[in-house]
Amino acid sequence: MDPLRDLMYPSSIAVWGASDNPLKMGTMQMANLLETGFPGKVYPIHPRLDTVLGCPAFPDIASVDRTVDLALLTLPTGVVPGVLEECGRAGIKRAIVISGGFKEAGAAGLAAEREIHAIARAHGIRFLGPNCVGVLNAAVPLNCTTIPDPPLGGGIAIASQSGAYTAMIYPLLRELGMKIRQTISVGNEADLDLVDCLGYLAGEPDIKAIGLYVETIRRPREFVRLAKQAALTKPVAAMYVGGTEAGSRSSRSHTGALSGPDGVYDGLFRQSGVIRADDMDEMLDILKLASLQKLDGPRLAVITNSGGPGSSLAYHIEKAGLRVPPFSDALAARLDEMTGPLAFVRNPIDLTFDTNLFLLRDLAATVMASGEVDGVVIYGLMGSEFTGNLEKHFPAIGAARDSWEASYRGLLAEFGELPARHGKLLAVMSFLPGSSTTVSTLTAAGIPVFSGARRLARALASICAA
Amino acid sequence: MDPLRDLMYPSSIAVWGASDNPLKMGTMQMANLLETGFPGKVYPIHPRLDTVLGCPAFPDIASVDRTVDLALLTLPTGVVPGVLEECGRAGIKRAIVISGGFKEAGAAGLAAEREIHAIARAHGIRFLGPNCVGVLNAAVPLNCTTIPDPPLGGGIAIASQSGAYTAMIYPLLRELGMKIRQTISVGNEADLDLVDCLGYLAGEPDIKAIGLYVETIRRPREFVRLAKQAALTKPVAAMYVGGTEAGSRSSRSHTGALSGPDGVYDGLFRQSGVIRADDMDEMLDILKLASLQKLDGPRLAVITNSGGPGSSLAYHIEKAGLRVPPFSDALAARLDEMTGPLAFVRNPIDLTFDTNLFLLRDLAATVMASGEVDGVVIYGLMGSEFTGNLEKHFPAIGAARDSWEASYRGLLAEFGELPARHGKLLAVMSFLPGSSTTVSTLTAAGIPVFSGARRLARALASICAA
């Protein structure tokens, strides 16, 4: 059994560091664990308190009358070895050590890190950390990070040598209208490392795309082997920022990682079939697209009701190395019949201010069915987001909003059926927020939405199979 | 007097195309005009109705008993020339022609466009359009676009040959926590063009940074002259997407613009001192930074409480051509005293999980005062956004939130005073949404906030003076 599988699907957790002090990280983590709806048992361990956040507390792990699946340690550095030893004696086999002050803090910290590693090995404990921020698993749900309200769902997992790039980005994911299924903060990797995470996530059936934040790869040969294997079933994207002088200096202090030149990691990723992302926003773009859609070839159609976004999409798709081929005369004639005189139908199709969503849907279906493209990108899907000021003058609009929204959502769901029906990619560009009906409904229907042409084009190029 | 100045600051507007039909674009525009708080007089012109959106309507412009400043025409193509002729006879000197179906629609449209140009010239009317979406001026406030609730304020103006890249991006601007002061959609540029907008905006004292979406420059020599002049007082950024085969094809159909190769526009922008942006999101990044801050040299300090964002900032700042220089021993020793043992103080300064905002403030001030850098970038400012789940368990947190938020806002305002005091740039990276206390308060205090390291670094490089 994969040790990370046990760790990510616990049915009971013992928590050290939660108390009646809301400013303590351990308290925040336990609150998030409870409020995110962890369905198993939570055992706060505290020397004085009878209860912590409403849960009965225990003075030590030996007092808990069962073998707990997972230990979560958010404690001062010095007491971690002793508590881990107690965990071992109590039969706990999985742990997450949040505490810092280990290898990243110099010689004394390194000694402490070796000590906990030895204790864990002696007891058969596999653990994440130290110096990490915990994990998230929407399937449980399990959120033992300090960040509340992650947007649970979807098929994306992120494993990271930076805690911020797992938990702190939950608000950003929400803003982007994205969901997240699993995150793993590996910290100093004293035991379980990023390579273990890759192997584990490759075997998780609900994970459709894997993102890695890399400051160093400690086992490059194993990484290449596992990444190649993972890439057979799901896209893997990685970002690496150790390749400049200051970037390397920073990584070294952060996780004690020895970074290498940019080119070395570029090569490592390339031979592993891993998509390199330039920054977290680009990695999120790739994961969003790759978790929902496939692109089997480089030919894209652009359908727009506005010239600027249409031209931008055409430009950036070509700049990214893909194609926006002119349609055949036969297809153009067919589209011409559908659009009427104003529209330019040679690809991009520019409907100029037309907001007929049925027409957009039918154009997308016709272009897909022609076989002349491998995917379609649409700009121009927008709901009632822009009628706000009209309701004050036309109460009927407000009264009809619910039924109107329902049919709008139904129509967007029909867009969601096009990719499977035609075996082609569909993606949307929109300036609407992640919280809008348009973005949330499309995302739920499997259609990724991007706010910028360049970002969408680069994501398309990165997942293009041919 | 600049004709665009008159057009952007009208005290009375006659509106054609608004009616009792909320689905008509003219109705939406008039609703937005009223609800955004236009303080002048609005005269709907309608052949049948007595009132439109609660305003007394007039059967024609001749029936209005004053000379109106601005005519807003959202009418079928065929009736535009006649109405414009009536405007001329009524003494109206400025117009915005929203209607499409002109040059962009072929030979008949081109003839109609020439006709309205001749009518305007005969009556001394200067106008925007046709085939545009209107304008926004927060100083009036004037919003005659179809998009409600623009985030009014700040010092950014955008003039664009794409309507979508003016009005449709208001929701995106809001999401990014940005404000917008003026937008001008130029459409087909039958009369006033992008070059006129550049000249006008250069003379607007409240505009601190100008963005242009360019599909063609019709008067390149005048553009270079005006851009050079504008760049003396405020940064000008431009995006151009006509430089690929499909991009050019798309632009041609959109505004009838003849695009040129990428390199030609690159050269044109370079000799004009215009910053070229790759896409709208990059242009918004540049405008956000340039409207609030100056960077007089390439040396940046990075202060972070999390390794991943710190390493990413260091990496991308160097990749963008700027520097993250190690601090002198003297400065490092001073910082060391302030931070204690865990922090790495050689630049980046990594405080590892420390959330002491006073320390962050004092470190930024000390680094600025040292003269060893030209600017400081901070990751790690976060308010009470992450305590949501604690309030359920600790009611005292909820009770104290208001006073806590007030002191947090006060502290953020102190960050806002640092750039002027030390003559150095300050910018922040954060994953919090534009609507958060952190982002909105920092932005109001003049500190731009970015959600990604690469985006922030590229914006820094683009505005760096040295």
Side-chain angles (χ1 to χ4, degrees):
Chain A
M1 188 69 166
D2 191 313
L4 272 161
R5 170 107 197 155
D6 290 347
L7 191 152
M8 295 296 284
Y9 290 85
S11 63
S12 55
I13 306 180
V15 176
W16 282 262
S19 69
D20 52 2
N21 183 348
L23 297 179
K24 290 290 178 188
M25 195 181 288
T27 311
M28 292 186 201
Q29 289 172 303
M30 182 167 157
N32 291 338
L33 187 63
L34 298 174
E35 299 301 334
T36 309
F38 178 67
K41 287 284 284 178
V42 178
Y43 300 94
I45 311 295
H46 196 280
R48 288 182 296 102
L49 298 169
D50 290 334
T51 64
V52 172
L53 302 181
C55 297
F58 296 79
D60 47 41
I61 188 66
S63 313
V64 176
D65 61 353
R66 66 178 280 185
T67 304
V68 173
D69 289 343
L70 176 66
L72 180 66
L73 279 63
T74 309
L75 294 166
T77 319
V79 302
V80 171
V83 169
L84 200 63
E85 176 67 38
E86 291 174 34
C87 288
R89 279 194 240 118
I92 296 181
K93 296 297 180 196
R94 301 290 178 263
I96 301 176
V97 183
I98 305 293
S99 317
F102 289 89
K103 183 170 62 181
E104 81 283 6
L110 180 60
E113 188 158 319
R114 290 196 175 130
E115 187 184 358
I116 63 170
H117 185 260
I119 293 167
R121 171 161 295 196
H123 290 286
I125 298 173
R126 302 301 307 271
F127 68 101
L128 284 170
N131 188 23
C132 69
V133 306
V135 302
L136 170 78
N137 185 357
V140 176
L142 164 69
N143 175 21
C144 68
T145 75
T146 52
I147 311 301
D149 301 323
L152 303 177
I156 293 170
I158 295 175
S160 170
Q161 287 170 342
S162 155
Y165 281 142
T166 60
M168 299 304 278
I169 61 172
Y170 298 156
L172 179 63
L173 293 171
R174 186 177 291 283
E175 181 106 332
L176 293 168
M178 293 177 67
K179 307 276 189 192
I180 184 81
R181 185 161 287 271
Q182 294 193 33
T183 68
I184 308 175
S185 161
V186 296
N188 290 0
E189 302 181 316
D191 177 29
L192 295 165
D193 67 5
L194 209 57
V195 180
D196 291 310
C197 294
L198 178 58
Y200 156 69
L201 291 169
E204 283 287 280
D206 290 343
I207 299 299
K208 305 302 179 194
I210 301 169
L212 305 172
Y213 170 80
V214 173
E215 295 198 347
T216 190
I217 302 279
R218 296 181 207 274
R219 298 181 288 149
R221 200 167 309 170
E222 188 68 359
F223 176 83
V224 173
R225 190 184 70 78
L226 285 172
K228 276 183 176 168
Q229 204 174 305
L232 295 176
T233 57
K234 56 191 78 173
V236 180
M239 73 176 270
Y240 173 71
V241 295
T244 68
E245 201 267 327
S248 162
R249 216 180 321 129
S250 176
S251 298
R252 202 160 57 236
S253 90
H254 176 212
T255 46
L258 271 180
S259 55
D262 232 40
V264 170
Y265 277 80
D266 238 10
L268 193 72
F269 293 146
R270 202 171 304 116
Q271 67 171 295
S272 315
V274 169
I275 303 163
R276 181 165 181 184
D278 209 27
D279 197 6
M280 182 49 68
D281 57 2
E282 187 168 292
M283 190 150 95
L284 295 180
D285 288 342
I286 294 166
L287 294 174
K288 175 161 64 175
L289 187 60
S291 66
L292 297 175
Q293 297 276 315
K294 278 190 171 60
L295 181 61
D296 292 332
R299 302 166 305 160
L300 275 303
V302 174
I303 307 178
T304 180
N305 70 358
S306 178
S311 296
S312 302
L313 284 165
Y315 174 83
H316 282 294
I317 288 169
E318 291 191 331
K319 285 264 277 193
L322 303 175
R323 292 169 48 211
V324 186
F327 298 138
S328 69
D329 289 343
L331 176 55
R334 195 134 26 103
L335 296 169
D336 228 349
E337 281 174 31
M338 298 167 72
T339 60
L342 260 190
F344 186 75
V345 293
R346 253 45 178 181
N347 198 13
I349 302 176
D350 185 350
L351 297 170
T352 323
F353 283 142
D354 197 313
T355 53
N356 179 343
L357 302 180
F358 300 96
L359 177 59
L360 275 176
R361 177 199 59 193
D362 296 342
L363 289 170
T366 302
V367 169
M368 284 181 175
S370 75
E372 295 187 15
V373 298
D374 305 295
V376 172
V377 175
I378 295 177
Y379 172 87
L381 291 181
M382 49 201 77
S384 59
E385 285 87 357
F386 299 133
T387 61
N389 285 335
L390 290 169
E391 285 185 31
K392 298 169 191 167
H393 299 281
F394 301 93
I397 291 184
R401 181 178 290 278
D402 283 354
S403 72
W404 193 90
E405 285 267 323
S407 51
Y408 179 57
R409 280 195 297 269
L411 182 60
L412 293 182
E414 290 182 37
F415 281 90
E417 294 164 10
L418 294 177
R421 187 175 313 146
H422 298 281
K424 309 289 182 189
L425 173 140
L426 181 61
V428 165
M429 175 171 160
S430 168
F431 302 123
L432 292 168
S435 57
S436 62
T437 301
T438 300
V439 177
S440 59
T441 309
L442 282 169
T443 304
I447 307 300
V449 184
F450 292 79
S451 64
R454 179 183 177 281
R455 292 178 68 163
L456 172 50
R458 284 180 59 110
L460 286 168
S462 75
I463 69 154
C464 182
Chain B
M1 188 67 167
D2 191 313
L4 272 161
R5 170 106 197 156
D6 290 346
L7 190 151
M8 295 297 283
Y9 290 85
S11 62
S12 56
I13 306 180
V15 175
W16 282 262
S19 69
D20 51 1
N21 182 348
L23 298 178
K24 290 291 178 186
M25 194 180 287
T27 311
M28 294 186 199
Q29 289 173 303
M30 182 168 157
N32 292 337
L33 186 63
L34 298 175
E35 299 301 333
T36 309
F38 178 67
K41 287 284 283 180
V42 178
Y43 301 94
I45 311 294
H46 196 280
R48 285 182 297 101
L49 298 169
D50 290 334
T51 64
V52 172
L53 303 180
C55 297
F58 296 79
D60 47 42
I61 188 65
S63 313
V64 176
D65 60 354
R66 66 178 278 185
T67 304
V68 173
D69 290 343
L70 176 65
L72 180 66
L73 279 63
T74 309
L75 294 165
T77 320
V79 302
V80 172
V83 169
L84 200 63
E85 176 68 39
E86 290 174 36
C87 289
R89 277 194 242 120
I92 296 181
K93 296 298 180 195
R94 302 290 177 262
I96 302 175
V97 183
I98 305 293
S99 318
F102 289 89
K103 182 170 61 183
E104 82 283 5
L110 180 59
E113 188 159 317
R114 289 195 174 130
E115 187 182 359
I116 63 170
H117 185 261
I119 293 167
R121 170 160 294 195
H123 290 286
I125 299 173
R126 303 302 305 270
F127 68 102
L128 284 170
N131 188 24
C132 69
V133 306
V135 301
L136 171 78
N137 185 357
V140 175
L142 164 68
N143 174 21
C144 67
T145 75
T146 52
I147 310 302
D149 302 323
L152 302 178
I156 293 169
I158 295 175
S160 170
Q161 287 170 343
S162 155
Y165 281 142
T166 60
M168 298 304 278
I169 62 172
Y170 299 156
L172 179 63
L173 293 171
R174 186 177 292 281
E175 182 108 331
L176 292 169
M178 292 177 68
K179 306 277 188 192
I180 184 82
R181 185 161 289 270
Q182 296 193 32
T183 68
I184 308 175
S185 162
V186 296
N188 289 2
E189 303 182 314
D191 178 28
L192 295 165
D193 66 6
L194 209 58
V195 180
D196 291 311
C197 294
L198 177 58
Y200 156 69
L201 293 169
E204 283 288 279
D206 290 343
I207 297 300
K208 306 301 180 194
I210 301 169
L212 305 173
Y213 170 80
V214 173
E215 295 198 347
T216 190
I217 302 277
R218 295 183 207 273
R219 297 181 288 146
R221 200 168 307 171
E222 188 67 359
F223 177 83
V224 173
R225 189 184 71 78
L226 286 172
K228 277 183 176 169
Q229 202 174 307
L232 295 177
T233 57
K234 58 191 78 172
V236 180
M239 72 177 273
Y240 173 70
V241 296
T244 67
E245 201 266 327
S248 161
R249 216 181 319 130
S250 178
S251 298
R252 204 162 53 236
S253 89
H254 176 210
T255 46
L258 271 181
S259 55
D262 232 38
V264 170
Y265 277 82
D266 238 10
L268 192 71
F269 294 147
R270 200 169 307 115
Q271 66 169 296
S272 316
V274 169
I275 303 162
R276 182 165 179 184
D278 210 28
D279 198 6
M280 181 50 68
D281 57 3
E282 187 168 291
M283 191 151 95
L284 295 180
D285 289 343
I286 294 167
L287 295 174
K288 175 161 63 175
L289 187 60
S291 66
L292 297 175
Q293 297 275 315
K294 279 191 171 58
L295 181 60
D296 291 331
R299 302 166 305 159
L300 275 303
V302 174
I303 307 178
T304 180
N305 70 358
S306 178
S311 298
S312 302
L313 284 166
Y315 174 82
H316 282 293
I317 287 169
E318 291 191 331
K319 285 264 279 191
L322 303 174
R323 293 169 46 211
V324 185
F327 297 139
S328 69
D329 289 342
L331 176 55
R334 195 134 26 104
L335 296 169
D336 229 349
E337 281 173 31
M338 299 167 70
T339 60
L342 261 190
F344 186 76
V345 293
R346 256 39 180 187
N347 200 14
I349 302 175
D350 185 349
L351 298 170
T352 322
F353 282 142
D354 197 314
T355 52
N356 179 342
L357 302 181
F358 300 96
L359 177 60
L360 274 177
R361 177 199 58 192
D362 296 342
L363 289 170
T366 302
V367 169
M368 284 182 175
S370 75
E372 294 187 15
V373 299
D374 304 295
V376 172
V377 175
I378 295 177
Y379 172 86
L381 292 180
M382 47 202 78
S384 59
E385 286 87 357
F386 299 133
T387 62
N389 285 337
L390 290 169
E391 285 185 30
K392 298 170 190 168
H393 298 282
F394 301 95
I397 291 184
R401 180 179 291 278
D402 283 355
S403 72
W404 194 88
E405 286 266 323
S407 51
Y408 179 56
R409 279 195 298 269
L411 182 59
L412 293 182
E414 290 181 37
F415 281 90
E417 294 164 10
L418 294 176
R421 187 176 314 145
H422 297 281
K424 310 288 182 191
L425 172 140
L426 182 61
V428 165
M429 174 171 159
S430 167
F431 301 124
L432 292 167
S435 58
S436 63
T437 300
T438 300
V439 177
S440 60
T441 309
L442 282 170
T443 304
I447 308 299
V449 184
F450 291 79
S451 64
R454 179 183 176 280
R455 291 178 69 163
L456 172 49
R458 285 180 58 109
L460 286 169
S462 76
I463 71 154
C464 181

